[in-house]
Amino acid sequence: MSTVQQPDPKDRPARLTVGVVGAGRVGPALAASLQLAGHRPVAVSGVSEASRRRAAALLPDVPVVPPVEVLARAELVLLTVPDDALPPLVAGLAETGAVRPGQLLVHTSGRYGAKVLDPALRAGALPLALHPAMTFTGTPVDVQRLAGCSFGVTAPEELRLAAEALVIEMGGEPEWIAEEMRPLYHAALALGANHLVTLVAQSLELLREAGVEAPDRMLGPLLGAALDNALRSGDAALTGPVARGDAGTVAAHVTELRRHAPQAVAGYLAMARATADRALAHGLLKPELAEDLLGVLADGTDGTEGDAG
């Protein structure tokens, strides 16, 4: 059940025509979700064949048109382009006169708050930053995943209720993020979600190398439990040889990684040092065991462990 107070009906946005600039993985899913809430997608822009396929799958019968035409047709425009492309896109749309007074302009970048939309604000647009804290596949399953998804919301105070109402209509949970905190907020999400994919992929590869026939079946329950424990208990959920101070086991890990997957050594050592620091700080790693462990981790950076095999 949603923990967010539902907005008063008078604060809900009217049914709007919706446009999408940038038919990547995010935009069509958000527009499809808004359509389920009663809004009407009317235009989408996309350059690549993949983006056009996504638009056709999630927004059938919605015409694909140039970005300027999207703004001409829509009252609510989703700017769902890569972070680095957002500032020049906004500036270009404002300079060409494509932005209309009273038009809701929404970007989905985690990095930026509402100020990146200042050129459009000066043209009379209403700026909103609504970032879904979710990974997207570019398929219809994304619409289902928005249910209960947190959104990082940044907007002028007078638009706060409208921003939160739009998020709730998409099935999400609005979380207010101050303008100056957006980069830190985004870094936190990237640290957890993006790096998790890399860690899991490396683990799958190493298990296959070790002869495990179904590494996904082996990892699924383990990683699910680890994630659940971490979300519930934080650092108290730390376990494994680093948290226990098993220096010999960690040294063996480094040796085997150097032999079979040297590209994974730097990441293993970095994460092991970070884990050791947290385990020490929270009293999980005994100081008398930490010295040998940290010595192994330090030695591992200069290749000495690689000579042990």
Side-chain angles (χ1 to χ4, degrees), residues 4 12 25 37 48 54 85 93 98-99 108 114 127 133 155 164 212 274 283 289 294 306:
V4 176
R12 292 167 61 89
R25 296 182 179 184
S48 70
R54 279 191 291 267
L93 291 173
V99 179
T108 59
E164 292 178 345
V212 175
L289 298 176
L294 294 175

Side-chain angles (χ1 to χ4, degrees), residues 23-94:
R25 296 182 179 184
V26 179
L30 296 188
S33 183
L34 287 168
Q35 185 174 35
L36 291 175
H39 300 286
R40 184 165 62 92
V42 293
V44 59
S45 72
V47 177
S48 70
E49 184 58 35
S51 66
R52 290 171 177 267
R53 285 198 303 269
R54 279 191 291 267
L58 287 163
L59 302 171
D61 302 323
V62 175
V64 178
V65 299
V68 171
E69 184 63 24
V70 172
L71 270 73
R73 298 187 185 192
E75 298 161 310
L76 166 62
V77 179
L78 303 173
L79 303 179
T80 53
V81 297
D83 288 358
D84 288 351
L86 182 60
L89 171 65
V90 175
L93 291 173

Side-chain angles (χ1 to χ4, degrees), residues 68-250:
V68 171
E69 184 63 24
V70 172
L71 270 73
R73 298 187 185 192
E75 298 161 310
L76 166 62
V77 179
L78 303 173
L79 303 179
T80 53
V81 297
D83 288 358
D84 288 351
L86 182 60
L89 171 65
V90 175
L93 291 173
E95 288 170 3
T96 59
V99 179
R100 304 197 313 273
Q103 191 168 44
L104 281 165
L105 213 56
V106 178
H107 79 71
T108 59
S109 166
R111 170 185 171 187
Y112 292 108
K115 286 191 177 300
V116 71
L117 298 174
D118 275 357
L121 174 65
R122 289 191 289 271
L126 306 177
L128 307 176
L130 308 179
H131 174 252
M134 177 55 63
T135 181
F136 288 79
T137 64
T139 65
V141 72
D142 294 333
V143 180
Q144 302 170 22
R145 287 179 174 174
L146 287 173
C149 167
S150 291
F151 278 67
V153 176
T154 305
E157 186 62 33
E158 61 271 21
L159 295 177
R160 180 168 180 159
L161 288 177
E164 292 178 345
L166 282 171
V167 169
I168 292 169
E169 287 193 325
M170 287 186 281
E173 300 276 353
E175 184 73 39
W176 193 255
I177 308 294
E179 179 79 31
E180 66 274 12
M181 290 297 160
R182 292 289 290 207
L184 180 61
Y185 151 81
H186 196 224
L189 295 180
L191 184 66
N194 301 161
H195 297 173
L196 177 63
V197 174
T198 300
L199 290 172
V200 172
Q202 286 185 333
S203 185
L204 289 168
E205 290 172 355
L206 293 171
L207 286 171
R208 292 190 191 98
E209 178 75 12
V212 175
E213 292 185 1
D216 53 342
R217 188 169 65 225
M218 177 175 285
L219 279 180
L222 174 64
L223 297 185
L227 177 59
D228 184 64
N229 290 341
L231 291 174
R232 291 174 182 270
S233 305
D235 287 296
L238 284 171
T239 185
V242 173
R244 290 192 299 267
D246 291 340
T249 298
V250 173

